[in-house]
Amino acid sequence: MTHTAVKATAPGKIILFGEHSVVYGQPAIAVPVSQVRATCTVRENSAGTGILLNAPDIDRREYLSAAGENDPLALVVRRTLDALGVDAPSLEITVTSTIPIACGLGSGAAISAAIIRALGEFFRRPFESQTVSDIAFEVEKIYHGTPSGIDNTVVAFAQPIFFTKGQPIERLTVGAPLTFVIGDTGIKSPTYKVVGDLRARRTENPAAFDPIFAEMGTLARNARAAIERGDAASVGQLMGENHAILRKLGISHPMLDALVGAAMDAGALGAKLSGAGWGGNMIALATPDSAAKIGAALASAGAKRVIKTVVR
Ligand code: PMV
């Protein structure tokens, strides 16, 4: 028994602490960003001739059978149908997203999660969040090389998480709401490139990098405590320290540093790049009163897009 049409969505995400060090086993903190979302609609293909993939945002409309072996959309659909044990249905799968691509907001993982959820709902076998995360992780591995799993986990669970690679998810309790302003440099930066570059440098000289990653792990643990007790001033301070370390690691970009500076000048409690770096987004911790001023400062410093989100 199936539905005639179902829709599922998954949010974007930002990493508050611990990007990159999380790949090396240190803890990190990520939160969903519900203002931007991926959406998937699944309905019966009335033509009854297999699985039609529609991605109007990228002008794509083709049959699954014509998609390459490692095509990301096709891969997630195939893996999900395998998990459901469904053979050769006739479906029309439409995917849209308001999450900008390749800028650290978790677009790929959110698209996967929306597809997995929608297919589960369509076949009346809704997946647990952990299963959504696990299937999305399979796809992440093909595109990101050595992903930690933080992106698929936060978008699948759609709640603040304290994440350590390979360990059960820990939900984060937020002591007092935190207002973030996200600024997009507009510079696309594929995660696998930055992660691959850092991995190569670290392989040459682990002794130079591992203590830095450990320091970032300590920042993430201290940040967790600060978030849980609702201490925004400390969270902001720790964000600044995290950004300084990421700069030292060669992960930042002059535009990211300029936006971080503009946010701090406009009164942010802290600011840092978020995600893979070399472009993409930065985040600033604001108060409900200072958010508009910080957003305006980011826009006049050249941010291509500004999003406000409140973490609870
Ligand atoms: O997808 P992004 O750009 O937010 O980067 C993911 C975070 C990294 O720590 C850089 C990589 C990973 O797999 O955790």
Side-chain angles (χ1 to χ4, degrees), residues 42-45 50-52 81 89-93 119 122-123:
V42 177
R43 57 169 57 88
E44 270 164 38
N45 179 1
I51 299 175
L52 184 59
L81 293 176
S90 275
L91 302 174
E92 184 168 342
I93 300 174
L119 283 169
F122 184 83
F123 289 102

Side-chain angles (χ1 to χ4, degrees), residues 36-152:
V36 285
R37 304 191 77 83
T39 302
C40 176
T41 308
V42 177
R43 57 169 57 88
E44 270 164 38
N45 179 1
S46 46
T49 50
I51 299 175
L52 184 59
L53 292 175
N54 266 327
D57 298 344
I58 53 168
D59 271 339
R60 183 170 169 193
R61 187 175 167 86
E62 74 174 338
Y63 275 92
L64 183 71
S65 52
E69 190 64 31
N70 279 342
D71 175 88
L73 293 185
L75 196 66
V76 69
V77 170
R78 290 191 186 113
R79 291 279 160 98
T80 308
L81 293 176
D82 286 349
L84 287 165
V86 175
D87 200 22
S90 275
L91 302 174
E92 184 168 342
I93 300 174
T94 303
V95 186
T96 57
S97 175
T98 56
I99 310 170
I101 295 168
C103 69
L105 291 183
S107 144
I111 287 171
S112 294
I115 293 174
I116 297 161
R117 276 205 196 289
L119 283 169
E121 299 281 343
F122 184 83
F123 289 102
R124 296 189 187 265
R125 306 248 309 275
F127 290 111
E128 300 281 345
S129 296
Q130 187 60 56
T131 312
V132 174
S133 174
D134 291 344
I135 300 174
F137 186 53
E138 291 302 308
V139 181
E140 294 277 293
K141 275 198 267 192
I142 292 179
Y143 293 97
H144 289 208
T146 53
S148 61
I150 192 167
D151 279 19
N152 48 282

Side-chain angles (χ1 to χ4, degrees), residues 31-297:
V31 300
V33 177
S34 55
Q35 288 78 0
V36 285
R37 304 191 77 83
T39 302
C40 176
T41 308
V42 177
R43 57 169 57 88
E44 270 164 38
N45 179 1
S46 46
T49 50
I51 299 175
L52 184 59
L53 292 175
N54 266 327
D57 298 344
I58 53 168
D59 271 339
R60 183 170 169 193
R61 187 175 167 86
E62 74 174 338
Y63 275 92
L64 183 71
S65 52
E69 190 64 31
N70 279 342
D71 175 88
L73 293 185
L75 196 66
V76 69
V77 170
R78 290 191 186 113
R79 291 279 160 98
T80 308
L81 293 176
D82 286 349
L84 287 165
V86 175
D87 200 22
S90 275
L91 302 174
E92 184 168 342
I93 300 174
T94 303
V95 186
T96 57
S97 175
T98 56
I99 310 170
I101 295 168
C103 69
L105 291 183
S107 144
I111 287 171
S112 294
I115 293 174
I116 297 161
R117 276 205 196 289
L119 283 169
E121 299 281 343
F122 184 83
F123 289 102
R124 296 189 187 265
R125 306 248 309 275
F127 290 111
E128 300 281 345
S129 296
Q130 187 60 56
T131 312
V132 174
S133 174
D134 291 344
I135 300 174
F137 186 53
E138 291 302 308
V139 181
E140 294 277 293
K141 275 198 267 192
I142 292 179
Y143 293 97
H144 289 208
T146 53
S148 61
I150 192 167
D151 279 19
N152 48 282
T153 304
V154 67
V155 305
F157 283 86
Q159 51 186 294
I161 58 166
F162 182 80
F163 177 87
T164 308
K165 185 171 151 178
Q167 306 225 343
I169 169 189
E170 290 183 61
R171 292 174 179 81
L172 198 63
T173 313
V174 180
L178 294 171
T179 303
F180 287 94
V181 183
I182 305 168
D184 186 357
T185 61
I187 301 163
K188 299 232 179 290
S189 173
T191 303
Y192 77 91
K193 283 198 184 163
V194 195
V195 171
D197 175 82
L198 183 58
R199 178 173 294 280
R201 289 188 282 134
R202 188 242 173 206
T203 304
E204 290 247 302
N205 189 1
F209 287 87
D210 291 349
I212 301 177
F213 295 146
E215 205 184 322
M216 290 166 81
T218 302
L219 285 183
R221 283 186 206 95
N222 291 343
R224 175 189 196 162
I227 291 169
E228 286 179 344
R229 65 173 187 268
D231 177 357
S234 296
V235 175
Q237 166 77 29
L238 292 163
M239 285 170 66
E241 291 174 26
N242 198 155
H243 185 71
I245 295 177
L246 289 163
R247 281 192 70 182
K248 199 162 75 180
L249 282 174
I251 297 301
S252 195
H253 182 281
M255 186 64 183
L256 283 166
D257 293 338
L259 293 182
V260 164
M264 294 307 291
D265 289 348
L269 297 170
K272 65 183 275 292
L273 71 83
S274 178
W278 287 1
N281 279 276
M282 51 69 68
I283 56 174
L285 180 58
T287 61
D289 290 340
S290 68
K293 184 175 172 205
I294 293 167

